[in-house]
Amino acid sequence: MTEKKMEVMLSAGEIDKRIRELAAEISRDYEGKSLFLVGVLKGAVVFLSDLIRYITVPLEIDFIAVSSYGSDTTSSGIVRIQKDLEQSLKGKDVLIVEDIVDTGLTLNYLYRNIQSRQPDSLKVVTLLDKPDRRKVDFNPDYCGFAIPDRFVIGYGLDYDENYRQLADICVLNSTD
Ligand code: IMP
Ligand code: MG
């Protein structure tokens, strides 16, 4: 394996501050309602765990796993459901929780798939967005940070299933 060097892009403190703001905005928007959060495995697990502790409206969570990437860092464009939700979404106020929107292919597919399950409303929150990489038109309703076109790891995000446990979001650079 080529040696990699890490550089912090967003610190744990900056992430926490922004998540509190997002949670406050979401709590305001859904006041008087209850939320059904759909976490996208595995990358969004850390974000979802922190986000729900700052949301003040009642909520339920469930998880879906999709694959669009192999162990590569470029999108194949193929999206498949690997693990489906356990509960019906009919009549619920659903918020998809994603780690990062890159080409937009994953969320474009997921949004349509979940919309077809007849929720009362459907929105998307992503921690990170790389707008420069978009291949399909997709705009998240809530976004933590727009970032440049760099491959990032940490805070749930992986490179070949590693580095998810880092508290900061880092850029991974090859040293050669
Ligand atoms: P999209 O379908 O191209 O928008 O890709 C979305 C998925 O690709 C995300 O949910 C991540 O799992 C993965 N991904 C995209 N960019 C990165 C990155 O910079 N680091 C880690 N994973 C990424
Ligand atoms: Mg993901």
Side-chain angles (χ1 to χ4, degrees):
M1 193 172 157
T2 321
E3 215 193 310
K4 306 277 184 188
K5 211 178 118 215
M6 280 186 273
E7 209 181 287
V8 176
M9 180 187 274
L10 296 162
S11 70
E14 288 173 282
I15 297 166
D16 180 67
K17 183 168 174 281
R18 184 68 187 120
I19 290 179
R20 287 171 190 254
E21 291 170 357
L22 282 175
E25 196 183 337
I26 292 166
S27 301
R28 257 196 319 274
D29 291 353
Y30 288 88
E31 210 185 317
K33 296 183 177 178
S34 57
L35 261 174
F36 193 98
L37 303 191
V38 173
V40 186
L41 294 172
K42 302 170 196 166
V45 161
V46 180
F47 174 42
L48 181 139
S49 305
D50 282 345
L51 183 70
I52 59 173
R53 283 177 282 179
Y54 297 129
I55 293 179
T56 54
V57 299
L59 62 84
E60 287 176 66
I61 63 173
D62 200 352
F63 294 95
I64 195 163
V66 293
S67 68
S68 58
Y69 278 57
S71 53
D72 200 350
T73 56
T74 51
S75 179
S76 61
I78 302 158
V79 182
R80 253 185 337 192
I81 293 185
Q82 310 272 41
K83 179 218 167 285
D84 207 348
L85 299 169
E86 287 166 9
Q87 296 170 57
S88 158
L89 298 179
K90 201 164 178 183
K92 299 193 176 155
D93 289 303
V94 176
L95 181 61
I96 301 174
V97 183
E98 177 60 302
D99 52 359
I100 185 165
V101 187
D102 186 27
T103 62
L105 289 164
T106 305
L107 270 177
N108 189 50
Y109 169 82
L110 255 190
Y111 189 91
R112 289 159 199 252
N113 181 290
I114 290 186
Q115 186 71 67
S116 74
R117 304 180 196 204
Q118 299 175 289
D120 234 22
S121 69
L122 179 57
K123 285 191 185 182
V124 174
V125 58
T126 184
L127 179 63
L128 305 174
D129 188 1
K130 287 198 267 193
D132 298 345
R133 297 252 314 158
R134 219 50 118 249
K135 283 189 187 157
V136 288
D137 188 29
F138 187 88
N139 288 309
D141 300 278
Y142 306 97
C143 170
F145 303 92
I147 62 167
D149 179 12
R150 307 291 298 280
F151 194 82
V152 288
I153 51 161
Y155 200 75
L157 292 137
D158 73 305
Y159 172 71
D160 209 1
E161 296 299 329
N162 287 116
Y163 308 107
R164 295 191 197 272
Q165 82 270 33
L166 301 177
D168 304 315
I169 290 172
C170 301
V171 179
L172 195 59
N173 294 312
S174 299
T175 48
D176 58 352

